[in-house]
Amino acid sequence: MESPNAVKSSPLPLIPQTIEEKSERDKKIDEWLPVNADRSAKWWYSAFHNITAMVGAGVLGLPYAISILGWGPGITLLIISWIITLYTLWQMVEMHEMVPGKRFDRYHELGQHAFGEKLGLYIVVPQQVVVMLGGTIVYMVTGGASLQKFHDIVCPSCKKIRLTFFIMIFASAQFILSHLPSFNSISGVSLVAAVMSIGYSTVAWTASVHKGVQKNVQYTNTSTSTTDLVFNVFNAIGSVAFAYAGHSVVLEIQATIPSTPEKPSKISMWRGVIVAYIIVALCYWPVAVIGYWVFGNAVKDNILISLEKPTWIIAMANLFVVFHVIGSYQVFAMPMFDMLESVLVKKLNFKPSTILRFVVRNVYVAFTVFIAITFPFFGNLLGFFGGFAVTPTTYFLPCIIWLKIYKPKSFSLSWCANWICILLGMCIIILAPIGALRNIILDAKTYKFYS
């Protein structure tokens, strides 16, 4: 008969072995997942990733948004949005390693730390998914539309090709690039995209200056009724909000930067953020102000459409846009790939493999292509996704998390600043989607699918 001591001691060696096996599996999964597989990024990677994430479709719609809002409200909203989003982005960079020895490499991990394991997921993941999914759809539409514009400019006598086919041509690049293994591996693509964004933004405002203020230019609102004016204002607010859309991927960008006790990742990340925001201002403000100044209320929802000459410069700018949104798509899609692959291997126990990654990423790109060719409402998509999705993750969710974790004293500077951001963000999320959805419905009445 075995002694009681033998019975008690026999299972003990199995416990640490099980823990060791589990931690080894988790370690291998983390090394396989795209966000934290490679932590060798430099501070300037942060700069051009953030530029690529923010400067995109939004900058082309800013003159149109200003034309709806008017000089004073439009420029004020543009500058206030820049200040608020820089502040909330700083908060996220600071919170990335707030717990010693732990890094919140994903937005939802920060949310779980603040709100709890389940509630954090329910609060953050739906919003982040809508931002990243919405962003990739809008970039798919933008890429196809800019490619179509380039074709029509360089070959005006050629047979017209439907936008649907140009979106599919643009998507072919995404089917290839989406198989780059990690977030850090798309750095080269992101760098090219950032340079292209600076290029076409510069072309947009310099070509506007060259064109000069148009004859009989007017700066009054063209809305035919009070109802139209109200809904258009709501839509314009969403378009401005969409222009600062990088927060949903900022923790994932910071996850690629190495960190030590002597030099935490927030130092390099913040340096890159400052550079990015300076460049964002140099891209956004001249395009918005000069574009509206030159064309007035006749400006289109894509400034490059209003610019017709010199032809070769406009063609080049549209090509710049194509190359830029190729990179923007990847910056927004990579965290989505990480999320999908994480669920499959951690929750559903799929084996991490090349085949799994090949299937997941191709299906995701195909889905965004389908939505883009079905609903290619460029300007109104900006307003809808800007108000409904970008606003929470950018304007007030970081503030709520900051208040929840740090609990600043009531009516202190930090407390007041965060509550101001929260209230403004709530106004945007209520108003902007209403105007955008109305305009989408109006466009849908005359739109022919897959035209």
Side-chain angles (χ1 to χ4, degrees):
M1 183 176 178
E2 294 182 347
S3 66
N5 290 336
V7 174
K8 290 179 181 179
S9 61
S10 59
L12 290 179
L14 297 176
I15 296 174
Q17 185 179 355
T18 305
I19 294 172
E20 184 180 347
E21 289 175 355
K22 184 179 179 180
S23 62
E24 185 66 26
R25 179 178 181 272
D26 289 344
K27 183 179 178 181
K28 288 182 178 178
I29 289 174
D30 286 340
E31 291 174 351
W32 182 76
L33 291 173
V35 165
N36 48 14
D38 186 353
R39 296 190 189 270
S40 60
K42 308 298 183 183
W43 72 264
W44 52 87
Y45 288 34
S46 161
F48 55 73
H49 279 322
N50 278 287
I51 293 169
T52 301
M54 278 186 283
V55 184
V59 67
L60 302 177
L62 289 179
Y64 179 74
I66 300 296
S67 73
I68 299 296
L69 297 170
W71 280 117
I75 294 175
T76 300
L77 182 61
L78 192 64
I79 295 174
I80 289 177
S81 296
W82 186 89
I83 294 171
I84 289 176
T85 56
L86 179 59
Y87 171 67
T88 57
L89 203 154
W90 169 78
Q91 290 180 310
M92 296 191 70
V93 170
E94 287 290 315
M95 290 189 289
H96 182 84
E97 292 176 274
M98 71 174 78
V99 178
K102 182 176 177 60
R103 299 181 66 171
F104 299 111
D105 292 331
R106 297 161 181 85
Y107 207 143
H108 70 81
E109 292 175 3
L110 181 61
Q112 287 175 298
H113 177 71
F115 305 113
E117 198 72 21
K118 288 188 177 181
L119 184 60
L121 280 178
Y122 297 150
I123 291 174
V124 176
V125 170
Q127 297 182 61
Q128 192 181 15
V129 166
V130 172
V131 173
M132 295 185 295
L133 180 61
T136 50
I137 292 169
V138 170
Y139 289 134
M140 193 71 75
V141 174
T142 307
S146 298
L147 201 58
Q148 183 184 47
K149 183 70 174 177
F150 174 78
H151 171 268
D152 293 345
I153 290 173
V154 298
C155 189
S157 60
C158 293
K159 183 180 178 181
K160 299 296 181 182
I161 301 175
R162 291 187 294 177
L163 176 60
T164 297
F165 294 116
F166 282 107
I167 292 176
M168 294 172 69
I169 293 169
F170 176 81
S172 63
Q174 304 304 341
F175 277 109
I176 297 171
L177 293 174
S178 291
H179 296 292
L180 291 169
S182 67
F183 203 129
N184 215 29
S185 66
I186 65 170
S187 296
V189 179
S190 185
L191 174 59
V192 171
V195 173
M196 292 296 103
S197 68
I198 297 169
Y200 72 72
S201 299
T202 304
V203 167
W205 69 262
T206 54
S208 297
V209 170
H210 180 268
K211 197 175 187 71
V213 178
Q214 300 300 286
K215 292 181 179 180
N216 301 320
V217 65
Q218 295 182 355
Y219 302 108
T220 56
N221 199 286
T222 57
S223 300
T224 55
S225 66
T226 303
T227 303
D228 278 340
L229 174 61
V230 170
F231 282 110
N232 286 338
V233 167
F234 291 171
N235 189 39
I237 291 171
S239 296
V240 174
F242 186 86
Y244 302 94
H247 291 55
S248 62
V249 295
V250 68
L251 293 178
E252 287 80 356
I253 293 171
Q254 192 168 348
T256 65
I257 298 175
S259 184
T260 62
E262 297 76 23
K263 189 180 180 181
S265 63
K266 66 181 181 180
I267 296 175
S268 297
M269 182 68 181
W270 183 240
R271 189 184 303 173
V273 167
I274 290 296
V275 172
Y277 258 74
I278 291 172
I279 294 175
V280 165
L282 294 175
C283 290
Y284 283 10
W285 299 346
V287 172
V289 173
I290 295 174
Y292 182 44
W293 173 62
V294 169
F295 295 103
N297 56 25
V299 69
K300 304 295 184 182
D301 64 354
N302 181 338
I303 183 65
L304 295 181
I305 296 176
S306 297
L307 293 165
E308 299 175 352
K309 293 180 182 180
T311 304
W312 68 273
I313 289 183
I314 307 308
M316 181 177 64
N318 278 278
L319 197 59
F320 284 174
V321 174
V322 173
F323 282 108
H324 170 74
V325 293
I326 286 174
S328 298
Y329 185 99
Q330 288 301 312
V331 169
F332 275 74
M334 195 60 71
M336 278 298 300
F337 298 153
D338 180 88
M339 194 178 293
L340 294 170
E341 291 164 12
S342 180
V343 169
L344 289 171
V345 299
K346 288 184 176 181
K347 301 295 183 183
L348 302 180
N349 295 319
F350 279 81
K351 182 180 178 181
S353 65
T354 304
I355 294 175
L356 177 66
R357 179 164 282 170
F358 180 83
V359 173
V360 168
R361 298 188 179 190
N362 280 342
V363 168
Y364 179 84
V365 175
F367 177 75
T368 58
V369 173
F370 172 74
I371 298 299
I373 64 178
T374 305
F375 306 104
F377 310 121
F378 176 76
N380 297 327
L381 282 174
L382 288 182
F384 182 75
F385 288 120
F388 181 70
V390 175
T391 305
T393 55
T394 301
Y395 284 79
F396 63 82
L397 190 54
C399 298
I400 294 174
I401 294 174
W402 186 275
L403 292 173
K404 174 77 172 174
I405 293 172
Y406 290 105
K407 297 179 172 59
K409 186 178 179 181
S410 297
F411 302 106
S412 64
L413 180 61
S414 174
W415 187 91
C416 291
N418 281 290
W419 274 108
I420 289 171
C421 293
I422 291 169
L423 293 175
L424 288 175
M426 291 300 295
C427 290
I428 294 173
I429 195 175
I430 293 170
L431 300 179
I434 297 173
L437 191 58
R438 174 182 179 268
N439 288 341
I440 289 173
I441 293 170
L442 291 176
D443 286 346
K445 289 181 178 179
T446 58
Y447 174 72
K448 294 181 180 180
F449 285 99
Y450 313 114
S451 59

